[in-house]
Amino acid sequence: DVLEQLSDKRCIRKITDGLPVNVTVTASQVKLRGNYIDVANVKAAVEELANGSYQGQVTLSSSLLSALLSNDGSKPLFEMIQNETGATVELDEKSSAIKITGKKSFVKRAKFSVFDHLESHFCYCFSKL
């Protein structure tokens, strides 16, 4: 049971991975408190523990989403990234994001690959800081 696993302090330490998130485990739920981004990362780790699958995303600007939708090459690009990394990559128009699902290490690799490919194919949508 996931709640049982989360009651172990070592498991909480591993899931929070040093992030300043307060984790409270009760008999029926897990409460996370902290910075929105840190909480989202810990929530994804808890969901990975519960479901065996981690989910990440690359949020797209409206211009980049339009460019991807008008370009028929995005589907083969996503399939290539899936084959390279082992993570599932799909375009979610509703949330204007590329959703990446799989083991956490696969998702991280796929996310870097998505950024690399987006920057090389749609460089006019990116600016270096």
Side-chain angles (χ1 to χ4, degrees), residues 9-23 33-35 37-39 41-42 45 104 108:
K9 296 286 186 198
R10 288 177 297 192
C11 184
I12 297 282
R13 241 181 276 131
K14 182 179 177 188
I15 285 177
T16 58
D17 195 28
L19 295 173
V21 175
N22 183 325
V23 180
R33 277 190 253 163
N35 176 311
I37 293 171
D38 294 337
V39 166
N41 287 329
V42 173
K104 188 173 184 175
K108 282 185 172 185

Side-chain angles (χ1 to χ4, degrees), residues 76-87 89 110 113-114 117:
L77 172 66
F78 293 164
E79 288 173 0
M80 182 186 71
I81 293 171
Q82 283 180 199
N83 292 335
E84 287 177 357
T85 63
V89 182
S113 189
V114 164
H117 288 290

Side-chain angles (χ1 to χ4, degrees), residues 76-120:
L77 172 66
F78 293 164
E79 288 173 0
M80 182 186 71
I81 293 171
Q82 283 180 199
N83 292 335
E84 287 177 357
T85 63
T88 304
V89 182
E90 50 195 26
L91 183 63
D92 183 2
E93 294 178 50
K94 189 175 178 181
S95 66
S96 186
I98 297 172
K99 302 277 185 175
I100 307 168
T101 310
K103 283 181 57 177
K104 188 173 184 175
S105 60
F106 294 172
V107 170
K108 282 185 172 185
R109 263 193 321 203
K111 205 171 184 179
F112 283 118
S113 189
V114 164
F115 277 119
D116 286 344
H117 288 290
L118 288 177
E119 187 177 14
S120 66

Side-chain angles (χ1 to χ4, degrees), residues 68-80:
L68 273 173
L69 290 172
S70 66
N71 182 358
D72 292 334
S74 64
K75 188 170 181 169
L77 172 66
F78 293 164
E79 288 173 0
M80 182 186 71

